[in-house]
């Protein structure tokens, strides 16, 4: 449903418009009403409506002044103006403010419905365009990250500051996390990897917290921030664990530390790769990071009362060492 805000200083007009037609039938809902322009401006900020229907003359702030204020704030929402005056100067001013329609009171039901149907087509097209733009932006950011992490010498000046800014990647700090998902069962559902990545995108891409990228056999996160402190690392570990659990997956993850330039993320990636190759030495319920002290298996003192080692945990570590191709670690664990 597209959201509508009605602004008119006459209560009968406000309520009449609210009940004049079956809004839901045409894909709209009236989220609120306002008695003047100032109130409408506040409620527009709160509700983010798709359409405002506003009287051209209201006390304090007129409908035209309301539209001017919205446009100055960068709003591109759609506007229908109501007027009791068939005055060309009013209409000309309204048109200059890029409104979508100008209706005389009393409002004709059929005329309003005609405007709404045309607007719905426009709103649906705009929604599709925004989705395409968001998808393209996410793909562009992933390609930038992947190109900077490609094998070989890092292209220090591969991207200008303007290009990085346009991609939404001009941050104060960058940190790479690599995640290795592993199925609890022998077989995984088709498309599980794509679904995991999609859910991570919902968490990090859409909120501007980072970029999700593929780096086989890992899923990578380029985070906007520094995970030096334990609290943010624990929070992100919890988020990833929730995503993995929904797909009946387990995971291991490590972080490469913070760098201050996008073109230096290769250094963070190099460090995280080193940690991932030794991940089984670290605690399993956290994201390993540079400077962490590796956990070690308890040494035996020969006591008869000593509990039996957890061989299943050791076996899991051996499997992981084989998976990453670390022969030395396999030998040590055996």
């Amino acid at each position: 449903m597209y959201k509508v805000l009605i602004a008119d200083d006459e209560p009968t007009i406000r309520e009449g418009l609210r009940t004049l037609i079956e809004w839901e039938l045409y894909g709209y809902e009236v989220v609120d009403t306002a008695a003047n322009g100032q109130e409408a401006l506040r409620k527009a900020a709160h509700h983010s409506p798709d359409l405002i229907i506003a009287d051209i003359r209201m006390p304090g702030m007129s409908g035209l002044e309301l539209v001017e204020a919205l446009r100055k704030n960068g709003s591109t929402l759609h506007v229908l103006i109501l007027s009791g005056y068939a005055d060309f100067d009013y209409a000309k001013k309204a048109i200059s403010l890029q409104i979508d329609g100008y209706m005389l009171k009393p409002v004709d039901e059929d005329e309003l419905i005609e405007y709404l149907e045309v607007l719905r087509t426009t709103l649906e097209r705009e929604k599709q365009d925004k989705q395409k733009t968001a998808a393209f932006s996410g793909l562009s950011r992933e390609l930038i990250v992947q190109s900077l992490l490609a094998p070989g010498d890092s292209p220090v000046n591969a991207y200008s500051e303007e290009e990085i800014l346009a991609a939404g990647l001009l941050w104060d700090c960058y940190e790479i996390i690599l995640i290795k998902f592993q199925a609890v069962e022998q077989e995984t559902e088709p498309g599980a990897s794509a679904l995991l990545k999609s859910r991570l995108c919902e968490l990090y891409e859409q909120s501007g917290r980072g970029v999700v990228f593929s780096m086989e056999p890992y899923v990578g996160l380029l985070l906007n921030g520094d995970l030096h402190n334990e609290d943010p690392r624990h929070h992100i570990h919890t988020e990833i664990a929730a995503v993995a659990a929904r797909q009946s997956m387990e995971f291991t993850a490590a972080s490469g530390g913070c760098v201050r330039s996008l073109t230096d993320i290769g250094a963070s990636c190099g460090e995280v790769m080193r940690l991932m190759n030794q991940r089984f030495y670290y605690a399993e319920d956290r994201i390993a990071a540079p400077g962490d002290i590796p956990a070690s298996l308890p040494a035996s003192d020969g006591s008869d009362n000593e509990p039996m080692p957890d061989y299943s945990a050791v076996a899991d570590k051996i499997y992981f060492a084989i998976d990453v191709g670390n022969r030395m670690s396999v030998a040590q664990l055996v």
Side-chain angles (χ1 to χ4, degrees):
M1 292 289 177
Y2 295 108
K3 296 183 287 184
V4 180
L5 174 65
I6 298 171
D8 197 297
D9 59 319
E10 298 180 52
T12 54
I13 298 293
R14 292 198 303 273
E15 292 308 309
L17 280 172
R18 187 198 284 268
T19 58
L20 179 63
I21 62 171
E22 296 182 55
W23 292 93
E24 291 80 5
L25 186 63
Y26 301 98
Y28 297 85
E29 61 173 333
V30 178
V31 293
D32 211 338
T33 62
N36 55 61
Q38 290 285 3
E39 184 181 2
L41 195 60
R42 291 194 301 272
K43 290 187 174 181
H46 175 70
H47 292 291
S48 298
D50 302 291
L51 169 65
I52 288 183
I53 301 177
D55 186 14
I56 202 166
R57 284 195 174 186
M58 293 183 288
M61 175 184 279
S62 71
L64 293 181
E65 290 171 334
L66 166 63
V67 180
E68 283 184 304
L70 289 167
R71 297 295 183 243
K72 285 179 181 177
N73 291 338
S75 174
T76 58
L77 62 80
H78 296 274
V79 181
L80 292 177
I81 287 291
L82 305 178
S83 176
Y85 308 90
D87 189 317
F88 178 71
D89 288 336
Y90 280 117
K92 186 169 67 174
K93 176 66 174 176
I95 291 169
S96 72
L97 294 170
Q98 298 177 318
I99 68 161
D100 296 87
Y102 186 94
M103 295 184 294
L104 292 177
K105 295 179 179 179
V107 175
D108 180 78
E109 179 179 345
D110 291 335
E111 183 184 13
L112 176 57
I113 290 172
E114 185 178 342
Y115 272 124
L116 293 177
E117 289 180 333
V118 172
L119 271 173
R120 186 178 62 195
T121 301
T122 302
L123 287 165
E124 287 172 353
R125 186 180 65 250
E126 290 175 348
K127 183 178 179 180
Q128 291 172 356
D129 289 344
K130 286 180 181 178
Q131 290 173 340
K132 288 178 182 177
T133 300
F136 177 76
S137 297
L139 179 61
S140 298
R141 289 193 293 269
E142 180 176 5
L143 289 174
I144 289 173
V145 172
Q146 288 176 327
S147 69
L148 292 171
L149 297 178
D153 295 334
S154 294
V156 176
N157 298 312
Y159 298 96
S160 67
E161 186 170 307
E162 290 76 15
E163 289 173 314
I164 293 172
L165 179 62
L169 289 172
L170 192 60
W171 306 337
D172 292 330
C173 181
Y174 306 82
E175 186 152 347
I176 294 280
I177 288 180
L178 291 183
I179 308 160
K180 178 67 180 294
F181 289 104
Q182 297 163 301
V184 176
E185 304 294 336
Q186 288 290 343
E187 296 183 1
T188 59
E189 294 182 9
S193 297
L195 188 56
L196 287 165
K197 186 180 176 184
S198 174
R199 286 176 172 162
L200 288 173
C201 286
E202 291 174 9
L203 279 173
Y204 296 97
E205 292 273 4
Q206 296 179 12
S207 62
R209 296 166 59 197
V211 177
V212 182
F213 61 94
S214 297
M215 187 176 175
E216 292 295 338
Y218 308 112
V219 175
L221 289 177
L222 175 64
L223 290 178
N224 179 2
D226 186 350
L227 297 186
H228 176 72
N229 294 324
E230 184 65 28
D231 286 346
R233 261 199 285 166
H234 176 73
H235 178 68
I236 290 174
H237 185 278
T238 301
E239 290 180 327
I240 298 171
V243 169
R246 290 176 65 180
Q247 293 300 115
S248 299
M249 303 282 273
E250 295 177 346
F251 74 98
T252 53
S255 164
C258 173
V259 294
R260 298 296 174 181
S261 169
L262 179 63
T263 50
D264 290 335
I265 62 173
S268 181
C269 189
E271 184 64 17
V272 72
M273 289 292 289
R274 181 188 68 82
L275 287 172
M276 286 301 281
N277 287 335
Q278 301 176 359
R279 183 63 184 87
F280 43 81
Y281 286 128
Y282 294 85
E284 297 179 354
D285 58 348
R286 56 183 291 160
I287 296 173
D292 285 358
I293 299 174
S296 58
L297 294 174
S300 173
D301 60 2
S303 170
D304 292 337
N305 295 324
E306 183 180 359
M308 291 290 291
D310 183 359
Y311 289 118
S312 62
V314 178
D316 288 341
K317 292 178 181 179
I318 293 174
Y319 291 147
F320 187 76
I322 293 171
D323 191 31
V324 299
N326 193 324
R327 295 189 179 187
M328 182 180 296
S329 297
V330 171
Q332 291 173 342
L333 285 164
V334 169

